[in-house]
């Protein structure tokens, strides 16, 4: 089955720093989403981005489907950005999202 | 508009018991899927329903089952609970099967 790899697994930043999170996937996908999991466990939608580039405030994402990767950019990080970021892909011909193992981000004040 | 609602939020059960979790999707969404999250295995797909039909099932034993009602609400049931079933169970809904998925707050199940 499809493999989804996220890097780095852990990231510690000072407040105000920028970061790039990466998601590689091993096969063609219909959809890709980025989520932020809050401390209570809920997955918060960041981007629905099967291809192209999107921006939402300090966050932006780019997916290059032909090269099978997606990037999540966080600029001017804040302590509230801390948490786990997941990439999830919907492989072609299936109805189930496959999640990466996540990037655990900690932003220090 | 209201998001995906999961009930209950927390649950403690004893080994051998069974449990039923509920998920109400966003109004108008017809696809509902369930995921299990554990520290060791990460987020794993359980099953997906669309218009009351289960279209995909993950690699879980038969003790895990689910259903979807005509109003798109879904339930999942776990029978003969084991300690390893302790997890966060997340439900997601989407308009169609390949559109953006939105997740509920989850049900945290502890089996003792």
């Amino acid at each position: 089955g499809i493999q989804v790899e996220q890097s780095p697994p852990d990231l510690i930043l000072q407040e105000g720093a920028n970061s790039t999170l990466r998601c590689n996937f091993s096969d063609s996908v219909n959809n890709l989403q980025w989520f932020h999991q809050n401390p209570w466990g809920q997955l918060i939608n960041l981007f629905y981005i099967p291809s192209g580039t999107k921006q939402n405030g300090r966050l932006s994402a780019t997916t290059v489907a032909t090269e099978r990767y997606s990037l999540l950019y966080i600029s001017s990080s804040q302590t509230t950005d801390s948490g786990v970021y997941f990439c999830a892909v919907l492989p072609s011909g299936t109805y189930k999202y496959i999640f990466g193992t996540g990037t655990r981000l900690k932003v220090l004040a | 508009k209201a998001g995906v609602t999961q009930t209950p939020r927390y649950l403690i059960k004893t080994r051998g018991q069974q449990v039923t979790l509920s998920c109400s999707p966003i109004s108008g969404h017809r696809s509902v899927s369930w995921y299990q999250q554990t520290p060791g295995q990460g987020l794993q797909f359980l099953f997906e329903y669309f218009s009351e039909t289960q279209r995909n099932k993950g690699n879980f034993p038969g003790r895990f089952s689910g259903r979807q009602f005509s109003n798109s609400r879904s339930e999942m049931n776990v029978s003969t609970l084991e300690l390893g079933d302790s997890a966060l169970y997340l439900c997601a809904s989407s308009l169609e099967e390949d559109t953006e998925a939105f997740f509920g707050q989850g049900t945290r199940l502890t089996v003792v």
Side-chain angles (χ1 to χ4, degrees):
Chain A
I2 193 170
Q3 303 297 315
V4 182
E5 296 180 352
Q6 290 188 243
S7 60
D10 295 281
L11 190 56
I12 300 176
L13 300 173
Q14 281 298 135
E15 201 168 26
N18 303 329
S19 61
T20 301
L21 282 57
R22 188 176 180 102
C23 172
N24 291 335
F25 43 98
S26 59
D27 207 343
S28 61
V29 299
N30 283 343
N31 286 332
L32 187 146
Q33 291 189 230
W34 283 97
F35 298 94
H36 177 210
Q37 188 165 41
N38 68 21
W40 298 272
Q42 184 169 11
L43 291 170
I44 307 300
N45 288 42
L46 296 178
F47 293 101
Y48 168 70
I49 187 167
S51 64
T53 297
K54 291 186 178 180
Q55 179 152 11
N56 184 4
R58 296 181 296 103
L59 274 59
S60 64
T62 295
T63 296
V64 184
T66 53
E67 296 187 21
R68 299 180 184 164
Y69 74 88
S70 183
L71 302 173
L72 176 67
Y73 305 95
I74 304 175
S75 64
S76 304
S77 57
Q78 300 175 356
T79 55
T80 51
D81 294 332
S82 296
V84 184
Y85 290 80
F86 287 102
C87 157
V89 302
L90 190 71
S92 300
T94 76
Y95 307 113
K96 57 181 182 181
Y97 273 95
I98 305 298
F99 282 79
T101 50
T103 291
R104 187 173 299 273
L105 173 66
K106 185 165 188 174
V107 181
L108 304 176
Chain B
K1 69 184 177 185
V4 180
T5 303
Q6 291 187 246
T7 56
R9 292 289 312 282
Y10 302 92
L11 208 48
I12 299 176
K13 289 286 189 178
T14 304
R15 265 184 308 174
Q17 288 186 312
Q18 74 162 18
V19 68
T20 299
L21 311 182
S22 179
C23 173
S24 293
I26 292 172
S27 178
H29 284 196
R30 296 192 294 166
S31 174
V32 174
S33 51
W34 290 87
Y35 295 81
Q36 181 198 63
Q37 186 177 26
T38 59
Q41 299 297 318
L43 277 148
Q44 292 189 292
F45 170 81
L46 280 157
F47 22 66
E48 187 265 352
Y49 290 89
F50 185 84
S51 293
E52 302 180 67
T53 299
Q54 183 185 94
R55 299 188 300 183
N56 260 94
K57 191 176 193 300
N59 294 326
F60 281 83
R63 301 183 297 105
F64 290 81
S65 63
R67 59 179 174 168
Q68 186 181 33
F69 301 95
S70 57
N71 61 359
S72 293
R73 190 178 71 86
S74 178
E75 289 181 346
M76 67 163 281
N77 185 77
V78 188
S79 62
T80 320
L81 284 165
E82 301 177 0
L83 295 179
D85 297 333
S86 295
L88 178 66
Y89 290 88
L90 292 162
C91 165
S93 80
S94 57
L95 193 60
E96 301 288 341
E97 64 272 15
D98 60 350
T99 55
E100 186 174 5
F102 296 86
F103 281 80
Q105 294 177 296
T107 294
R108 194 169 294 278
L109 171 65
T110 302
V111 182
V112 298

